[in-house]
Amino acid sequence: MISEVKENHLIHKFKFNNGNFELQNISSVAWDGKNLTTETEFNLLTGKRIEITKALGSEKILKKTIKKTL
């Protein structure tokens, strides 16, 4: 499922398992309104969240944060 709220672009990935839909992954890209974008990937199965900040139009990573959440 893809959605957009203001400057945030979101992707929710589900899997159909045993008659139920399970949310497995959430990805988002947020623009700060100036010159930076922050890409966030949250894997609900592993609890791993990765945030990457880049300058607009560049692939050079300015900041990368990896967190483990239960």
Side-chain angles (χ1 to χ4, degrees):
M1 180 170 75
I2 300 172
S3 60
E4 187 173 321
V5 179
K6 296 187 182 183
E7 288 85 22
N8 295 321
H9 302 277
L10 303 161
I11 298 174
H12 296 80
K13 294 182 183 176
F14 295 87
K15 180 179 180 182
F16 190 71
N17 190 18
N18 295 327
N20 296 306
F21 285 98
E22 298 174 349
L23 179 60
Q24 294 187 331
N25 193 311
I26 302 170
S27 302
S28 72
V29 177
W31 176 51
D32 71 351
K34 298 176 186 169
N35 204 24
L36 298 176
T37 59
T38 302
E39 300 173 15
T40 304
E41 173 108 10
F42 186 32
N43 185 324
L44 297 168
L45 299 177
T46 63
K48 192 175 192 181
R49 187 175 86 189
I50 302 171
E51 291 183 358
I52 298 172
T53 303
K54 298 179 184 177
L56 205 60
S58 173
E59 289 299 315
K60 182 179 178 185
I61 296 173
L62 301 175
K63 181 180 175 184
K64 183 174 182 177
T65 306
I66 300 173
K67 295 180 182 178
K68 181 83 170 177
T69 306
L70 295 175

